[in-house]
Structure formats: structure tokens, C-alpha cells
Amino acid sequence: MRVEFRGKAFEFDQRMRVKDLLEKLNLSPESTIVVRGEEVLTEDDWLEEDDEVKVISAISGGALLVQFRQRFLPKRSTDKL
Amino acid sequence: MREHRLALCKDCYPKWFLRMTERTIKEWRMIMPDDRVLVAVSGGKDSLGLWFALSQLGYEADGLYLDLGISAGEYSLRSKQFAQQLADRIRRTLHVVSVSEEMGKPVPDLAFASNREPCSACGAVKRYLFNKFALEHGYTVIATGHNLDDEAATLMGNVMRWQVGYLARQSPVLPSRDGLLKRIKPFVRFTEKQVALFTILNRIPYIEQECPYSVGASSLFYKDLLNRIEERSPGTKWAFYSQFVEQIQPLLEEKFPEPGLRPCARCGMPTTAEICSVCRMKERANKPVLQLSDKSDSQGLTKT
Ligand SMILES: [Zn+2]
Ligand SMILES: [Zn+2]
């Protein structure tokens, strides 16, 4: 699937739940919204191989937060990107 | 709240959100029948969502957009366009005030000249200009889009350093006094995500890009920490904040009363000093000597 996040495109080749995607991107579900077209998805929704989704950070200053997390915070469990 | 978010239904959610907004406004007596409301509009999801929600609830609120003069990434230009789009949609007036025109310099220059962090200088200038404009144009209430994440992060920062003076004044409603208008935060019970959802579901385009000067803002760190706690223990953020404003803030307010205000000798706006901090900033930034160093600085930056 094709994932647009902060103006960049990421490709993932297997289906997964929204929460798995957020984990791969090291994002908190508390501060992130995933949309497929017009549809707002929940953490438990499945993403299919040919889906195109957009990940929106709800936090003002979200891009900085991602850089910050990547630099200073331990990644979570099975996190590989 | 949590169940509703999981079972997200597009039709129900905005209605629930509006009901909760109305409840907050009533509970805290934020807007009285005779009030004229001015929304501080930045072009981001919170302030646009707030302006839209107020208009949906029947409040005749106008917006004020402050052009900060931040040219990086066309930040100011783009955020203003989103604000204007919403104004056209809800048929309300968007006032625009240019910081450069009011202060003689854009926000980045003011911060530089006064040796302040851009965000702190920006905050002071914004509060000042919003208050001044609202007073001069007959508004009685200033509404801002601060959400639960903003307030809980601010609270955490103030608690960590026991800033009792700030803590005593952290409230969803600040009543008017001595030339400072009443300030309200009708979105304090919503998380950042809930506000973003409301704005997105109502198809309100907003500026996602953050202010280029907010790099390293410590509130981001606290927001992230609070979200980590929230993931493990849902409801903590709201408990942390709501218990504070209900139980602790009133005690602090009594114990640490605000210092008295008097009119600034230059501009007449309320201040604790002889000359208000914004007038001081303005004077320093507009001294001829600093104009020269400003120029050489910006040229130096573009060359490298
Ligand atoms: Zn519903
Ligand atoms: Zn002054």
C-alpha cells in the first residue's frame, strides 16, 4: 500500500491494521489520524495491499515531534521501518 | 469519548462534538447573551474548528487573523488563505491585522531585537494585539482554540517548575479586568485528535505545516509524554487537567492574586510595569542601529 505522510510517500507490501502502520511509523495513535480517500479509519481497520492512505498528525508541530521521537525516544516493540 | 472514537460514525461525531462544546461554554459561563465574540484565528485546525463550531452553535463570532510576517515556506500567506476560506463559508468577518504595520517589524525581527525566543515574543505580541483590537472594535470576549493537549502540556510544564503564578491563572475562562478582555477556551475538553477529526470531517482545509519557529518547543515533549501515558491509561490527560482546574487552580488563585495592572505610559494598554513589554520590544526593534544588523544578518543567511 501507498502511505502518504508529511509530504513523503512510503510503500508497504503486506496488509496490516492501522495500528500496525502507526507502530511502524513510530506514531502515537493518540495523536494521529489515518484517512483513505474521504474515509477516516480507526486503529482496528485493515489496510489492503492496493490501498492509498494518508497519515495526518493531529499535533501542531507534528513533524518536529517525529524527528524528536526518532532521535531521543526508544522505538516500540517490533518496530522496523 | 473513547468508544465513540473507535466507532467513528461520520454523522454522529460532529453532532457529539458540538454538544460537548456547547456544554463546556455553558458550564464555564464562557459566553453571555450580550457578548460579542472575537476568535483568534491562526489558520490551523484548532482555531478554524472553533470558529466553525461557534457559528454552527449560533454564536455570531468574528475572526481576527494576525499576519505575523513569517515568510518561511509562505507560512503566513497560506495560513491566511485558509482562514479566509472559512470566513467565506460561514459568512462571518475575518479581520486581518499585520504585525509589521502595527509594530514596525515582523515577529521574527521583534524577537531577535529583544533577545527573546520567537515563540515567547510571538505569544506576547499576539495577546497584546488581540486584546487591543478587540477593545477598539467593541468585542467583549476573545476565544482561542486551545485544546486538552495544549492545556495539559502547559500544566505539566508549569508543575515541573512549580510556576505558581502561571498555575494560578491557568483556567478555561479568564474574566476581564483592568483593560484585559475576558478570554475563553471552549475546546479544553477535546484532545488534539478530536479537534482534528471535527475539522477534517467538516472538510475545513487548514494549515498542517507548523510555524517554522516552533522548533524544539518543550510543549511538544510534554504532549508526547502525556500521549504515552494516555496509551497505557486512557483518561489520564483529562483527569490531570480537569482535577487541576476544578480543585487546585481556585486555591492557587486565592493564595497568589494577580499583581495590579495600570495603563502603559506609551500605548495605554494594561501592564504591570511603567511601559508594557510589547512597547519595549517595539522600541528596541525599531532602533536604527538594530536595523543595520538585521540587514546584514539576513543577507548572511541567504548567502550561506
Ligand atoms: Zn456515532
Ligand atoms: Zn505599551
Side-chain angles (χ1 to χ4, degrees):
Chain A
M1 81 208 58
R2 200 183 138 84
V3 178
E4 191 195 324
F5 177 55
R6 303 222 63 100
K8 283 186 191 144
F10 298 85
E11 286 286 343
F12 295 95
D13 50 11
Q14 82 230 68
R15 70 193 290 268
M16 62 178 108
R17 286 186 197 267
V18 167
K19 57 181 163 200
D20 303 322
L21 172 67
L22 295 182
E23 208 164 86
K24 280 183 195 295
L25 295 171
N26 203 23
L27 294 170
S28 167
E30 295 298 331
S31 60
T32 320
I33 296 171
V34 180
V35 293
R36 182 169 50 203
E38 297 270 282
E39 188 190 0
V40 177
L41 304 175
T42 70
E43 285 167 51
D44 292 316
D45 282 332
W46 281 97
L47 300 172
E48 304 299 334
E49 276 168 49
D50 53 355
D51 272 347
E52 287 188 17
V53 296
K54 190 179 175 196
V55 176
I56 301 168
S57 171
I59 293 206
S60 338
L64 302 164
L65 188 56
V66 171
Q67 291 169 9
F68 171 80
R69 273 184 169 227
Q70 284 167 354
R71 278 174 62 187
F72 299 113
L73 292 179
K75 290 198 167 190
R76 279 182 278 181
S77 55
T78 56
D79 188 18
K80 282 179 204 136
L81 191 72
Chain B
M1 273 191 224
R2 193 158 173 92
E3 295 110 82
H4 206 110
R5 210 194 58 208
L6 290 174
L8 233 192
C9 92
K10 245 186 252 170
D11 302 323
C12 258
Y13 183 84
K15 284 180 196 151
W16 167 84
F17 188 95
L18 288 174
R19 268 203 316 276
M20 295 292 279
T21 307
E22 179 73 349
R23 206 200 277 177
T24 309
I25 292 171
K26 290 269 150 35
E27 258 176 36
W28 288 91
R29 303 171 60 83
M30 288 180 166
I31 303 172
M32 297 294 126
D34 292 337
D35 274 331
R36 284 190 66 213
V37 183
L38 184 68
V39 182
V41 180
S42 70
K45 65 178 192 314
D46 302 293
S47 58
L48 293 182
L50 174 62
W51 198 11
F52 186 74
L54 290 177
S55 96
Q56 293 281 99
L57 289 168
Y59 296 105
E60 296 183 343
D62 291 326
L64 171 58
Y65 176 85
L66 280 188
D67 193 329
L68 306 173
I70 294 173
S71 48
E74 301 198 312
Y75 178 80
S76 287
L77 179 70
R78 294 187 54 225
S79 51
K80 185 161 78 186
Q81 285 168 348
F82 289 125
Q84 189 58 55
Q85 266 180 42
L86 182 65
D88 295 342
R89 176 166 162 193
I90 62 176
R91 298 201 181 83
R92 298 298 312 177
T93 305
L94 177 71
H95 303 284
V96 177
V97 166
S98 152
V99 172
S100 303
E101 274 168 35
E102 289 286 318
M103 311 288 300
K105 286 279 159 65
V107 161
D109 295 27
L110 291 169
F112 176 78
S114 57
N115 252 329
R116 292 174 73 153
E117 292 294 319
C119 292
S120 125
C122 188
V125 169
K126 277 184 191 162
R127 275 191 298 278
Y128 175 90
L129 289 177
F130 275 119
N131 194 66
K132 185 163 178 272
F133 184 92
L135 275 174
E136 288 169 357
H137 292 78
Y139 292 97
T140 56
V141 176
I142 297 170
T144 58
H146 292 92
N147 58 48
L148 178 57
D149 292 57
D150 296 326
E151 294 301 297
T154 302
L155 176 57
M156 198 176 201
N158 286 338
V159 164
M160 287 303 170
R161 292 192 172 76
W162 291 115
Q163 302 265 23
V164 284
Y166 290 135
L167 288 169
R169 280 179 284 287
Q170 196 185 346
S171 166
V173 180
L174 288 174
S176 70
R177 61 175 199 120
D178 304 333
L180 278 184
L181 281 181
K182 181 178 181 180
R183 300 181 156 265
I184 62 171
K185 299 171 178 173
F187 276 0
V188 285
R189 77 168 63 226
F190 301 120
T191 64
E192 200 126 36
K193 178 162 172 172
Q194 285 171 327
V195 177
L197 268 177
F198 177 75
T199 307
I200 291 168
L201 288 174
N202 281 297
R203 296 163 201 262
I204 300 167
Y206 62 87
I207 186 143
E208 279 177 53
Q209 176 194 10
E210 54 282 329
C211 171
Y213 290 95
S214 64
V215 178
S218 62
S219 68
L220 278 182
F221 174 62
Y222 290 127
K223 279 183 181 178
D224 195 46
L225 281 179
L226 285 161
N227 277 337
R228 297 256 167 162
I229 297 170
E230 186 77 14
E231 280 172 41
R232 293 215 181 168
S233 164
T236 303
K237 235 187 303 194
W238 174 242
F240 177 56
Y241 176 69
S242 64
Q243 291 305 307
F244 167 77
V245 291
E246 277 162 30
Q247 318 247 15
I248 312 298
Q249 190 269 341
L251 300 176
L252 291 174
E253 197 177 19
E254 214 171 285
K255 187 141 169 83
F256 303 97
E258 276 193 90
L261 298 175
R262 53 179 169 164
C264 164
R266 295 271 189 285
C267 69
M269 297 300 283
T271 173
T272 51
E274 165 88 20
I275 297 169
C276 77
S277 67
V278 173
C279 279
R280 288 200 305 262
M281 236 193 279
K282 188 174 170 178
E283 277 170 21
R284 294 179 73 166
N286 290 287
K287 274 184 192 162
V289 173
L290 283 164
Q291 269 178 354
L292 284 173
S293 67
D294 269 0
K295 248 182 210 165
S296 57
D297 240 28
S298 58
Q299 279 171 356
L301 274 178
T302 42
K303 269 179 202 161
T304 42

